[in-house]
Amino acid sequence: MWVMEATNIIGRTSKIPVPASEARAVTVRAGQRVRVVDIEGGQVGDVFAFAADDPTEYLSASHTRTHTSRLFPHVGEAFVTDRRRPILTVAADTSPGAHDMLIAACDPERYLALGADAAHASCAGNLRTALSQLGLRTDVIPQPVNVFMRIPVDASGDLRWLAAASRAGDAITFAAEMDCVVVVSACPQDLNAINGDRPTPMEIEIL
Amino acid sequence: MWVMEATNIIGRTSKIPVPASEARAVTVRAGQRVRVVDIEGGQVGDVFAFAADDPTEYLSASHTRTHTSRLFPHVGEAFVTDRRRPILTVAADTSPGAHDMLIAACDPERYLALGADAAHASCAGNLRTALSQLGLRTDVIPQPVNVFMRIPVDASGDLRWLAAASRAGDAITFAAEMDCVVVVSACPQDLNAINGDRPTPMEIEIL
């Protein structure tokens, strides 16, 4: 079931808090902008985007890499869907610029492997919950856009997992290229370094 | 519909030719090995793997990068599924070692964007056709393992598209960690450099 909710966000800025280790889903019209804000700094956000009229079309990391010939788009470049249509463009970025598009969303299996309980909050679970709060669901967990996540790649292809370097108030802004549903999960990962000392809140602003 | 076919491959080597620009699907038991051979050299193969008993579980590039902290597994390391279970391990590699796990499978939309006809053969279309020849189907086109594909990543995150450097007879061998269906598409891309002068045939060997 994929139902567009009425939104009350047109013509002014709407701010949606994303509590630490939770996610929120928002409906966005083509031409609107979505800012993802790291409130306290050092926090990774898993961002997902789905076409508003069809949840089987979604932002695809691999198609975006193919489209841009980049590991992550520059400001001004677009993320595309699994049908190769632009869905979001990077409009602005006040962070130091490290973002990841290599790593899968954390999920119960990930936490089990790290020695935690399968009931640990996860970005995959958060995505499902956030969509359900808009009356929506998806059958797949797309590979997310991990904003502020710092996964440098060395010349041999090895990845490192570093603490996010974003500062309090840093934000990345996306312009919607089509009507879409955007989900931001304030990543609950607390078993490796990526979120620094602890998971913290984020905010979604719709402009 | 996901039906395991009877196979006649146990206990001896079975060789399955993959004609240029086509794909073939094979059923493989846990413990068997699958060699993907570049017959003439300079040819990219798109490799997909699905759990034999459930097509919604498949080799996932993003989960494999997370599992290995690598852009591409070393010999001895495993590819995992979207449920983080090992499905294939790299057992041997006689090629110069360049393989890709960043780029999406080519599809009709890709060829349209490159100025070709949507009827151009594609790895996505080949996957569906090859599965159908075993009576199988999938709802998703997973991001493939692009063997012999040469997509170097520079320090700024830019990707380059180079001709495959594999030589005639070079092969990469995978060990099956679970019963699975493996599909190899001899990539039909002839509008950029990746397959050199022209697409050529490959071969699947089951050991």
Side-chain angles (χ1 to χ4, degrees):
Chain A
M1 186 67 61
W2 194 248
V3 182
M4 281 294 290
E5 295 284 302
T7 57
N8 61 353
I9 55 179
I10 295 173
R12 58 186 176 82
T13 297
S14 177
K15 297 188 178 187
I16 299 98
V18 182
S21 302
E22 297 188 17
R24 293 294 182 270
V26 295
T27 53
V28 184
R29 305 294 177 186
Q32 288 188 314
R33 293 186 173 210
V34 180
R35 285 184 89 221
V36 180
V37 187
D38 182 357
I39 299 294
E40 299 183 15
Q43 175 62 42
V44 168
D46 280 35
V47 177
F48 305 86
F50 299 84
D53 57 359
D54 182 355
T56 70
E57 181 172 7
Y58 48 79
L59 190 160
S60 165
S62 63
H63 293 82
T64 297
R65 285 188 292 265
T66 306
H67 178 69
T68 57
S69 293
R70 295 267 311 152
L71 288 185
F72 197 92
H74 283 298
V75 172
E77 291 182 329
F79 299 87
V80 301
T81 68
D82 58 320
R83 296 177 206 168
R84 304 192 191 256
R85 299 199 302 156
I87 184 166
L88 296 175
T89 292
V90 185
D93 184 5
T94 71
S95 83
H99 307 287
D100 169 73
M101 208 167 59
L102 294 170
I103 300 300
C106 59
D107 52 24
E109 293 84 355
R110 172 74 164 149
Y111 288 106
L112 280 173
L114 291 171
D117 194 276
H120 193 292
S122 71
C123 287
N126 284 351
L127 168 63
R128 295 188 193 283
T129 301
L131 288 177
S132 73
Q133 290 167 346
L134 291 187
L136 309 176
R137 58 179 287 274
T138 179
D139 290 330
V140 299
I141 306 293
Q143 189 195 325
V145 174
N146 297 310
V147 299
F148 312 129
M149 188 168 179
R150 196 151 59 112
I151 304 287
V153 183
D154 76 13
S156 72
D158 284 328
L159 313 181
R160 284 186 303 153
W161 301 68
L162 303 183
S166 43
R167 300 148 303 197
D170 273 348
I172 184 168
T173 304
F174 304 100
E177 302 295 337
M178 65 172 75
D179 293 352
C180 56
V181 174
V182 174
V183 180
V184 177
S185 173
C187 178
Q189 180 60 264
D190 55 0
L191 299 171
N192 65 22
I194 64 166
N195 291 315
D197 290 342
R198 69 188 195 292
T200 54
M202 308 190 83
E203 187 174 77
I204 307 171
E205 297 180 7
I206 304 178
L207 314 170
Chain B
M1 188 65 62
W2 193 249
V3 182
M4 281 296 289
E5 295 283 304
T7 56
N8 61 352
I9 55 181
I10 295 173
R12 57 187 177 82
T13 297
S14 176
K15 296 187 177 188
I16 299 98
V18 182
S21 302
E22 297 187 17
R24 293 294 182 269
V26 294
T27 53
V28 184
R29 305 294 175 185
Q32 289 188 312
R33 294 186 172 210
V34 180
R35 285 185 87 220
V36 180
V37 187
D38 182 357
I39 301 293
E40 299 184 15
Q43 175 63 41
V44 168
D46 281 34
V47 177
F48 306 85
F50 299 83
D53 56 358
D54 182 354
T56 70
E57 180 172 7
Y58 48 80
L59 190 161
S60 165
S62 62
H63 294 83
T64 297
R65 285 187 293 265
T66 306
H67 178 69
T68 57
S69 293
R70 295 267 313 152
L71 289 184
F72 197 92
H74 283 298
V75 172
E77 291 182 328
F79 300 87
V80 300
T81 69
D82 57 321
R83 296 177 207 168
R84 303 189 191 259
R85 298 198 304 156
I87 184 166
L88 297 176
T89 292
V90 184
D93 183 6
T94 70
S95 83
H99 306 286
D100 169 74
M101 208 167 57
L102 295 170
I103 300 300
C106 58
D107 53 24
E109 294 83 355
R110 173 73 164 151
Y111 288 106
L112 279 173
L114 290 171
D117 194 276
H120 192 293
S122 70
C123 288
N126 284 351
L127 169 62
R128 294 189 193 284
T129 301
L131 287 177
S132 73
Q133 290 167 347
L134 291 188
L136 310 176
R137 58 180 288 275
T138 178
D139 290 329
V140 299
I141 306 293
Q143 187 194 326
V145 174
N146 298 310
V147 299
F148 311 128
M149 188 169 180
R150 197 152 58 112
I151 305 286
V153 182
D154 76 15
S156 72
D158 285 329
L159 313 181
R160 286 186 303 153
W161 301 68
L162 303 183
S166 43
R167 301 147 302 197
D170 274 346
I172 184 168
T173 304
F174 304 100
E177 301 296 337
M178 64 171 77
D179 292 352
C180 57
V181 174
V182 174
V183 181
V184 178
S185 173
C187 178
Q189 180 61 263
D190 55 0
L191 299 170
N192 65 22
I194 63 167
N195 291 314
D197 291 343
R198 68 188 197 292
T200 55
M202 308 189 82
E203 187 174 77
I204 306 171
E205 296 180 7
I206 303 178
L207 315 171

